Amino acid sequence: MIDIIKTTPYTDQKMGTAGLRKKTKIAMQPNYLENFMQSIFNTIPNLEQKSFLVGGDGRYFNKIAIQKIIKIAIANNVKKLLVAKDGLVSTPAGSHIILKNNLDGGFVLSASHNPGGKDGDFGIKYATSSGGQCQPSESAAIYEQTLNINEYKICNCPDIDLNKIQTLKYENTTIEVIDSLVDYANLMQNIFDFNKIRELLTSDFKFIFDAMNGVTGPYAKLIFEEILKAPIGTVINYIPKEDFGGLHPDPNLIYAKHLVDIMYSETPADFAVANDGDGDRNMILGKSFFVSPSDSLAILTDNYQLIPAYKSGIYGVAKSAATSLAVKRVADHLNIGYYEVPTGWKYFINLMDSNRISFCGEESFGTGASHIREKDGIWAALFWLSILAQTKQSVKDIALTH
C-alpha cells in the first residue's frame, strides 16, 4: 500500500560538494529525510526503469534512514534496489557496485569523516550512474524541488531484514540484499599482486590498519587478515559503531593521534594506515615518519609500474588546487598528462571518464584512481604495501629516495 503524506518544505536542504550533510538531530526531524529523498526522485525520469544502491557507513540513524529510503523508493516505482548487507557499504565500494552493475545511481548514508552519534553528523551522498557525486546542475535541481515540495510517497510495508542475503519484491520494486565486501575484495585482487603483498605481511613486517570504527573495518579484516594472511590484530578499531566509538573518524595527525603515538613510540610498526568513517580518506605513516597527502600522491604516481593493473601505462594524473606541485614534477618526468582542478572530487570524474587521468588526489587525505569514481583508502593502503613489498625499503627511505 502506497501512502501520500502531506509535508512542508525545509529550506536548508541545499547539497554541498559531497551531498547533504547536517547535524543528526536536524536530519531526524519529521519528514526531513523523506522530503529530501522525494525531491531527488522528483528529478529522475522513468523511475520504473531505474536501479539504485542503498547503504551507509553505520553511523547513528543509518538503519532507520535506510528503511525509509527503501520504502520511498518502492512508492516511487523504482525498478530495483541493491541494498548492502547489514546496511554497510563504504563510499569506494559503493562506487564500484554502481559501475559493475550498471546502476543508475546510489545513496550512501555518510557524513564522511565527521563525528557520528546522536549529537554528531548525518549525511546522504547521492551518486549518479558515473559512480561518483552528482554534478552541480543535478544538485541545483534537487534543491529547487526541496523548496516547493508539498507531499511525498512512502510504502506502508514491513522493514527489510538486512542481516541476510536475499531477494524480495514489494509492489513493482525488486530489493536485493548483497554482500559488498567480496565484490570489493575481488576488485582489489584484480589491481594488485596479492601474492607479493602476502609475502610481506606473513614475514616479520608489522602493519597496522586503523579503521577508526568506521565502515572499512569489515573490508580490511577480510582483505588484510583473511586473504592476505596478516596476523590477527593487524586491523584495529574494526567494528563499525554508530558513534565511531567516540573517535572523530578523520585520518589525520590530530584525530588519529592514537595511531601516531604508536608509530612515533619506541616500538613502532613498519607501516600504518588510517581510514575515515566511510573509507575514502587515508593517512600514511612509517616509523616516526608521516607522508603528507601531496607527497603520497606523487610517490604512488611515480611507482605505478609496480602495480599489475597499471603496467601498460597510465593516462595521467590530477590534483586539487590546494595540493602541492610534487605530482606535477612526476607527471613531467614521466611525460604523462597533468591536470589541476578546484577542490571537490566531482571535478575529477570527467577527467576519468574521458581517459585523461588514471590517478588523482587532494590535500585533505584523499587519493584514488579510475577503477571507481571516488577516493579509496584501502586502495591507497594496498598500493603502498605493494611498493614496500617490491622495493624492500622503509616508508621513510622510499619518501627520501623519491
Side-chain angles (χ1 to χ4, degrees), residues 132 362 381:
E362 57 189 13

Side-chain angles (χ1 to χ4, degrees), residues 96-107:
H96 171 56
I97 291 167
I98 291 170
L99 291 169
K100 178 186 175 184
N101 295 281
N102 296 313
L103 302 184
D104 298 288
F107 308 103

Side-chain angles (χ1 to χ4, degrees), residues 194-241:
F194 269 40
N195 289 330
K196 183 69 71 173
I197 298 173
R198 190 180 294 109
E199 288 176 13
L200 178 69
L201 295 183
T202 54
S203 68
D204 58 359
F205 182 90
K206 187 176 180 184
F207 168 48
I208 301 174
F209 183 95
D210 186 356
M212 301 189 80
N213 296 320
V215 74
T216 55
Y219 294 89
K221 290 287 281 186
L222 172 62
I223 291 171
F224 297 119
E225 294 187 5
E226 294 184 34
I227 299 175
L228 291 171
K229 305 302 181 185
I232 301 299
T234 292
V235 182
I236 64 174
N237 296 318
Y238 61 86
I239 299 174
K241 297 181 179 179

